[in-house]
């Protein structure tokens, strides 16, 4: 049971990282709309890259746990 709790906590950490990235993405969309400035769109690519990075880390973690 301790192992399942540890896995749960590790998964939650990965998911929180991805959710934080998605929240930043939403914030930028709102910022663009509120400021009426489409230049804000230039800030989106790094956030999308962060989502990809955090997703890949989660996938790598998952694959390593499934291989055990």
């Amino acid at each position: 049971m301790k192992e399942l709790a540890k896995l749960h906590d590790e998964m939650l950490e990965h998911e929180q990282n991805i959710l934080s990235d998605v929240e930043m993405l939403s914030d930028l969309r709102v910022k663009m709309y509120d400021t009426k400035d489409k230049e804000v769109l230039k800030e989106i690519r790094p956030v999308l890259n962060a989502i990809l990075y955090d997703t890949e880390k989660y996938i790598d973690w998952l694959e390593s746990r499934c291989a055990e």
Side-chain angles (χ1 to χ4, degrees), residues 2-36:
K2 277 177 89 173
E3 179 66 20
L4 287 178
K6 182 180 179 207
L7 289 172
H8 175 274
D9 290 346
E10 290 174 359
M11 292 173 74
L12 185 58
E13 185 176 336
H14 284 286
E15 291 165 17
Q16 286 174 332
N17 288 338
I18 294 167
L19 286 171
S20 176
D21 296 337
V22 171
E23 187 174 314
M24 283 191 286
L25 190 61
S26 293
D27 290 345
L28 286 172
R29 178 182 38 79
V30 170
K31 178 181 174 183
M32 181 213 49
Y33 188 77
D34 288 347
T35 63
K36 311 291 188 264

